[in-house]
Amino acid sequence: MTRTRKRINSQSSQEYMEQVVTSLLQDPALLEIVKANCNYYQQQQFLKKGLKRAIEHLEWVLAADDDITRICQQIMADDHIGMKFRQYPLLFKGVILTGKNK
């Protein structure tokens, strides 16, 4: 007997990430929230290995480039790193709410 995993509604997560990218493009200062989220989750004692790796990759992207459009392109890319970023939306927690309040 084989088991199948139910997939999370990728449409809603795709829409969420598109909203995150839109907010980041409108206000690049929101990258500080993303950096703070990375910092916060990195200090947690028990994390999945995939989340730790995604945090490392996101920090590399943020350190390597300061152009907001290229950072957003990397987040939405269809490569391995982009998919890992989108797999952990907690890394972008607070970006949309802050963008709506401004």
Side-chain angles (χ1 to χ4, degrees):
M1 185 173 148
T2 60
R3 292 183 152 190
T4 58
R5 291 178 117 183
K6 288 188 177 183
R7 285 271 176 197
I8 298 173
N9 185 359
S10 63
Q11 183 66 24
S12 63
S13 63
Q14 181 73 16
E15 290 172 2
Y16 176 77
M17 292 309 292
E18 288 172 358
Q19 290 175 356
V20 165
V21 168
T22 303
S23 295
L24 287 173
L25 287 172
Q26 289 175 354
D27 187 6
L30 294 175
L31 280 177
E32 294 304 316
I33 294 175
V34 176
K35 291 176 184 178
N37 288 343
C38 288
N39 221 1
Y40 172 76
Y41 288 112
Q42 216 170 29
Q43 293 175 5
Q44 300 301 312
Q45 187 174 5
F46 300 105
L47 284 181
K48 294 167 92 175
K49 189 189 299 186
L51 179 55
K52 285 183 182 179
R53 196 77 173 135
I55 291 170
E56 285 178 16
H57 286 297
L58 186 56
E59 287 178 336
W60 291 343
V61 168
L62 295 174
D65 201 355
D66 59 353
D67 184 19
I68 190 68
T69 56
R70 286 194 294 254
I71 292 171
C72 290
Q73 286 173 350
Q74 183 62 46
I75 292 170
M76 296 305 289
D78 285 331
D79 59 0
H80 178 73
I81 295 172
M83 288 188 290
K84 280 296 180 186
F85 293 159
R86 293 189 303 272
Q87 186 177 357
Y88 299 105
L90 280 176
L91 296 174
F92 304 99
K93 179 180 174 182
V95 172
I96 293 175
L97 295 176
T98 304
K100 287 183 180 178
N101 290 338
K102 285 190 174 185

